[in-house]
Amino acid sequence: MSGALHLIPVALGDAPPERWLPADARALAGSLDTYIAENAKTARAFLKQVGTARPLQEITIHTLTDKTDAGQIQQWLAPVRQGRDIGLVSEAGCPAVADPGAAVVAAAHRLGLQVRPWVGPSSILLGLMASGLDGQRFAFHGYAPVDPAERARQLRAWEQHSARHHQTQLLIETPYRNAAMFATLLASLRGDTRLCVARSLTTADEWVRTHSIAEWKTRPAPELDKRPTLFLYLAGRP
């Protein structure tokens, strides 16, 4: 018998599932009776969106945290070894990409299990596609330091690396600190560095713009408060 661990993308924001998830992936997601997720509540919200073949209360959702040990993950994957299919979902976007679900996928490979990735939204790739920046060489850093001075130093260090290697730099911020991050980017980076701001991707509020830092300083600041936003920048060669 051959089961699989299915990697199923979830929404990046408030948008109907048919807009961002193919029909086959929605049907598969609704047919599974076992999931691994960071947050059971948001996993159930996703399943309610796509529709399920059985009542939500009959679907098992294992909660993955940074304290989940390898033995527990192996137990969760036991049904796959018995020929059943189970799902892995992230808090937003594609599981295992800048996401703790990577530990589950690694465990599945160690056990020799089939892993099936399904097509769906990744803010990293969507933002890169829409930015007009270098899509051949890029690095996703996650979060920059919270301390303002450290954050500015880190942004400049990434900018220097970007200039040397012509590599696009990508980062995110906690949504309520987006405005502060935007201000720090404008204050810290060179005038000719190109910055893309990608807000609320795949939703009705989606907004993507790329300008040089010098150009951004002449424009009104975008409305980013409490909205998921990806920042991307590419420095010119030194």
Side-chain angles (χ1 to χ4, degrees):
M1 299 178 68
S2 179
L5 173 67
H6 294 271
L7 314 184
I8 304 170
V10 300
L12 299 176
D14 185 17
E18 57 271 18
R19 178 173 176 175
W20 48 266
L21 193 65
D24 285 353
R26 298 198 305 272
L28 182 279
S31 71
L32 301 178
D33 62 9
T34 303
Y35 275 89
I36 299 172
E38 286 181 82
N39 186 304
K41 182 178 179 181
T42 53
R44 289 191 187 95
F46 161 69
L47 292 173
K48 187 174 181 181
Q49 271 190 307
V50 298
T52 58
R54 54 182 57 76
L56 282 174
Q57 59 268 27
E58 294 181 9
I59 297 174
T60 299
I61 301 177
H62 302 296
T63 303
L64 178 70
T65 73
D66 56 4
K67 295 184 174 63
T68 306
D69 61 37
Q72 181 65 79
I73 292 173
Q74 186 168 329
Q75 289 182 26
W76 292 344
L77 292 172
V80 184
R81 304 181 76 174
Q82 298 163 6
R84 290 169 52 198
D85 291 330
I86 70 172
L88 173 68
V89 291
S90 173
E91 273 296 271
C94 295
V97 177
D99 174 74
V104 178
V105 178
H109 283 297
R110 286 194 297 270
L111 294 168
L113 304 179
Q114 182 182 11
V115 175
R116 291 200 59 194
W118 288 80
V119 173
S122 163
S123 63
I124 296 170
L125 292 180
L126 291 173
L128 192 62
M129 289 163 59
S131 70
L133 305 180
D134 196 304
Q136 298 274 22
R137 293 166 292 272
F138 57 92
F140 176 69
H141 299 290
Y143 295 93
V146 174
D147 177 78
E150 290 183 26
R151 181 170 59 212
R153 282 194 294 270
Q154 184 62 77
L155 294 175
R156 286 192 290 268
W158 289 336
E159 183 184 43
Q160 291 170 7
H161 188 87
S162 175
R164 286 196 302 272
H165 301 284
H166 200 68
Q167 182 189 71
T168 302
Q169 310 297 296
L170 299 89
L171 64 145
I172 54 174
E173 183 53 278
T174 303
Y176 71 85
R177 287 202 292 257
N178 280 335
M181 172 57 75
F182 180 76
T184 304
L185 286 161
L186 264 57
S188 304
L189 303 183
R190 296 175 355 202
D192 62 345
T193 291
R194 287 186 291 157
L195 169 67
C196 175
V197 177
R199 181 192 72 195
S200 302
L201 291 166
T202 74
T203 75
D205 193 38
E206 180 178 282
W207 186 89
V208 183
R209 296 289 187 279
T210 299
H211 302 292
S212 71
I213 293 295
E215 289 172 326
W216 275 116
K217 289 179 177 179
T218 68
R219 298 170 178 270
E223 178 52 58
L224 304 176
D225 187 46
K226 299 180 181 178
R227 303 181 190 187
T229 301
L230 183 71
F231 300 96
L232 312 89
Y233 62 91
L234 179 66
R237 296 190 185 278

